[in-house]
């Protein structure tokens, strides 16, 4: 594959992430256009079975290095002083250049180690240098975790000092439950979110390392040793890019919860990949009990051959059981904070979505039913792709990203953190691309076995899903 064409998937991820960085806190028409183009490009890839990742060491190294250069050249929103912010960006950029060089020279594990060190240093810096970020998300997560630790209902608490919402916990309760031990141990939930991203990175690498046992050979076919190594390298590169995406440290500083959601969803996909389907059910249920957006993935799971409707119902039932204590405690309070407040929330003018583009550019406010119908249509299309292509667990991440990306664009409010999750799921799918023969078609072409077994092939996961 020609190098410029090979770089298209990486360029799309980095440009969309850079646009997301500039969206804080501004509306710009070009940002919406960038999102829309990236979404359409991703849609072509998932519908036609094209590549979503970058092949080869040179292309991978260039993308890793470019991520760091963009971190330096495009300042992100932060409450750090100008000098401190410059120092963090410089350290990350230098580390990314070193990591990209290591990847290009055939040492992707070294590149990932350097990227991980840069992520740890950068995250620690923004947490320490901005100990009380001026954003309501941090106040509500801190307060929600405290409520769990002290046996109080987070849906009836007030967050004094919050610069935004002061009397609502807008997440589902297990966000606070899962972060409560970190709050107890460190005093700041952001350490837990940074750890969650590192955990998700480890899962990205693990998904690329298929075990060489008989079940896996039956499920995915026997790969030549070089192809296995190339696939592993693709996972290492994707993991490094995930750690260095533009805006990463703004996300940690502002305490956005998407790294936790990514960890749970990625963990569930890894469990499916390893044939531990009921562990996947438990992890998907935890994700759904932590954040409402995960509900959009349920139709995809229901038609996914390794999973199916029975396990999808178990996910919904498990999530219901997980949130039941708070529903019994005070259902009106929980329903208000996590549902009606968000549905009825005023349009935030700096949200860069197609909905806001219609408001700003056309002076037209789309009706609720139209936005809802279009989101349903996107999810249905994604479900059709899942049913027809039967993606591998890693490749499922790309289809899930397409569904969430479309929902974000059609929503009345979606911010950097929600688009970051889309990019993270796309990166998770990079290792699903066949590194050689079937992967040469690129984004605009058709691959033959990009998702593992051919449609209809008998696999351990498929047999489990058909019972």
């Amino acid at each position: 594959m020609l190098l410029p064409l090979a770089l298209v998937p990486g360029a799309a991820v980095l440009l969309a992430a850079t646009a997301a960085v500039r969206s804080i806190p501004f509306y710009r028409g070009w940002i919406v256009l960038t999102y829309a183009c990236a979404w359409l490009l991703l849609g072509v890839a998932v519908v036609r079975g094209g590549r979503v990742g970058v092949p080869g060491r040179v292309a991978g190294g260039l993308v890793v290095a470019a991520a760091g250069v963009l971190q330096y050249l495009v300042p992100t929103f932060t409450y750090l002083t100008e000098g401190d912010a410059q120092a963090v960006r410089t350290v990350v950029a230098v580390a990314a250049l070193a990591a990209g060089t290591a990847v290009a020279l055939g040492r992707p594990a070294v590149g990932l180690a350097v990227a991980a060190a840069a992520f740890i240093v950068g995250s620690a810096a923004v947490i320490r240098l901005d100990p009380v970020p001026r954003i309501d998300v941090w106040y509500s997560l801190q307060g929600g975790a405290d409520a769990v630790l002290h046996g109080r209902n987070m849906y009836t608490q007030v967050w004094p000092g919050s610069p935004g919402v002061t009397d609502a916990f807008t997440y589902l309760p297990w966000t606070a439950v899962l972060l409560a031990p970190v709050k107890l141990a460190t005093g700041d939930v952001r350490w837990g979110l940074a750890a969650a991203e590192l955990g998700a990175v480890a899962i990205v690498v693990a998904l690329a390392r298929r075990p060489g046992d008989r079940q896996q050979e039956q499920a995915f076919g026997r790969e030549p040793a070089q192809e296995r190594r190339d696939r592993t390298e693709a996972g290492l590169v994707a993991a490094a890019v995930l750690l260095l995406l533009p805006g990463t440290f703004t996300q940690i500083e502002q305490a956005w919860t998407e790294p936790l959601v990514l960890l749970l969803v990625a963990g569930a996909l890894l469990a499916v990949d390893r044939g531990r389907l009921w562990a996947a059910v438990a992890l998907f249920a935890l994700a759904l009990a932590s954040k409402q957006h995960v509900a959009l993935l349920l139709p995809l799971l229901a038609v996914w051959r390794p999973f199916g409707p029975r396990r999808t119902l178990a996910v919904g039932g498990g999530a219901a059981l997980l949130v039941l204590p708070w529903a019994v405690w005070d259902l009106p309070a929980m329903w208000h904070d996590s549902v009606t407040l968000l549905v009825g929330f005023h349009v935030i003018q700096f949200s860069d979505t197609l909905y806001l583009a219609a408001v700003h550019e056309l002076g037209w406010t789309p009706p609720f039913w139209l936005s809802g119908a279009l989101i349903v249509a996107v999810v249905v299309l994604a479900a059709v792709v899942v049913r027809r292509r039967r993606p591998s667990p890693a490749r499922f991440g790309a289809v899930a990203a397409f569904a969430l990306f479309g929902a974000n664009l059609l929503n009345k409010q979606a911010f950097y953190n929600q688009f970051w999750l889309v990019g993270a799921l796309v990166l998770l799918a990079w290792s699903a691309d066949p590194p050689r023969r079937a992967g040469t078609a690129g984004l605009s072409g058709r691959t033959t076995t990009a998702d593992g077994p051919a449609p209809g092939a008998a696999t351990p996961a498929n047999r489990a899903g058909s019972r």
Side-chain angles (χ1 to χ4, degrees):
M1 184 188 298
L2 294 176
L3 184 60
L5 183 59
L7 289 171
V8 168
V13 169
L14 293 182
L15 288 175
T18 303
V21 166
R22 300 307 300 158
S23 71
I24 311 170
F26 305 105
Y27 166 84
R28 296 288 186 270
W30 68 265
I31 295 175
V32 180
L33 180 61
T34 301
Y35 284 161
C37 291
W39 179 51
L40 291 173
L41 194 64
L42 177 60
V44 170
V46 299
V47 170
R48 301 187 63 189
R51 176 179 290 281
V52 296
V54 293
R57 295 170 178 174
V58 174
L62 286 173
V63 173
V64 172
V69 171
L70 288 170
Q71 287 262 23
Y72 182 82
L73 294 178
V74 184
T76 59
F77 184 83
T78 179
Y79 289 115
L80 270 59
T81 65
E82 184 176 350
D84 288 340
Q86 178 76 11
V88 171
R89 296 208 313 274
T90 301
V91 168
V92 171
V94 171
L97 290 173
T101 301
V103 170
L105 293 177
R107 296 291 184 268
V110 174
L112 176 57
V114 173
F119 174 80
I120 292 169
V121 169
S123 297
V126 297
I127 293 172
R128 290 294 189 184
L129 294 172
D130 186 10
V132 186
R134 295 186 291 279
I135 183 171
D136 52 9
V137 173
W138 181 79
Y139 279 87
S140 62
L141 289 181
Q142 291 281 99
D146 276 335
V148 171
L149 293 171
H150 294 93
R152 298 192 298 266
N153 187 349
M154 73 278 288
Y155 294 109
T156 60
Q157 302 300 298
V158 175
W159 324 120
S162 171
V165 176
T166 60
D167 59 352
F169 186 80
T170 57
Y171 303 100
L172 291 176
W174 277 79
T175 294
V177 175
L178 293 173
L179 291 174
V182 179
K183 174 64 166 62
L184 179 64
T186 69
D188 197 320
V189 296
R190 292 177 293 177
W191 293 109
L193 298 174
E197 184 160 345
L198 287 171
V201 161
I203 292 172
V204 170
V205 175
L207 273 171
R209 295 177 182 271
R210 289 180 177 157
D213 59 25
R214 289 183 67 184
Q215 278 195 338
Q216 290 296 320
E217 288 177 1
Q218 289 174 349
F220 298 106
R222 186 187 299 273
E223 287 183 306
Q226 183 59 48
E227 292 196 6
R228 285 198 298 271
R229 285 194 292 270
D230 288 348
R231 193 182 298 276
T232 298
E233 287 184 359
L236 293 169
V237 170
V241 176
L242 178 57
L243 290 168
L244 297 170
L245 272 181
T248 292
F249 301 109
T250 293
Q251 175 158 265
I252 297 298
E253 181 186 353
Q254 301 280 289
W256 286 323
T257 63
E258 273 63 26
L260 180 61
V261 178
L262 175 66
L263 175 65
L264 295 171
V265 171
L269 294 176
L270 180 63
V272 174
D273 189 63
R274 300 302 192 257
R276 298 184 175 92
L277 297 179
W278 288 106
V281 167
L283 288 168
F284 275 126
L286 272 174
L288 181 56
S290 300
K291 196 150 189 179
Q292 300 89 318
H293 295 64
V294 178
L296 292 172
L297 303 184
L298 295 182
L300 281 62
L301 292 174
V303 299
W304 192 26
R305 184 64 178 271
F307 218 76
R310 181 165 61 97
R311 291 187 178 89
T312 303
L313 286 173
V315 169
L321 287 175
L322 288 170
V323 304
L324 182 61
W326 289 270
V328 172
W329 200 341
D330 194 332
L331 179 59
M334 187 181 79
W335 186 259
H336 169 268
D337 286 11
S338 61
V339 180
T340 56
L341 176 67
L342 298 174
V343 172
F345 208 75
H346 67 276
V347 175
I348 299 180
Q349 296 298 317
F350 57 82
S351 180
D352 290 89
T353 68
L354 291 172
Y355 186 102
L356 264 294
V359 173
H360 284 288
E361 311 297 342
L362 304 177
W364 171 59
T365 301
F368 178 81
W369 66 265
L370 178 59
S371 298
L374 291 173
I375 290 172
V376 168
V378 169
V379 174
V380 168
L381 174 59
V384 170
V385 171
V386 169
R387 184 174 179 81
R388 294 185 63 181
R389 292 208 163 267
R390 299 179 185 177
S392 67
R395 183 72 177 195
F396 183 90
V399 188
F402 171 74
L404 293 174
F405 204 168
N408 289 346
L409 273 176
L410 295 165
N411 205 346
K412 67 179 180 180
Q413 56 189 50
F415 306 109
Y416 168 82
N417 50 313
Q418 289 162 265
F419 291 107
W420 178 89
L421 179 61
V422 168
L425 288 171
V426 171
L427 289 169
L428 183 147
W430 277 19
S431 63
D433 287 331
R436 289 185 183 275
R437 287 184 290 272
T440 58
L443 274 165
S444 60
R446 185 178 297 273
T447 56
T448 55
T449 56
D451 301 340
T459 71
N462 285 352
R463 289 196 294 271
S466 62
R467 286 198 293 267

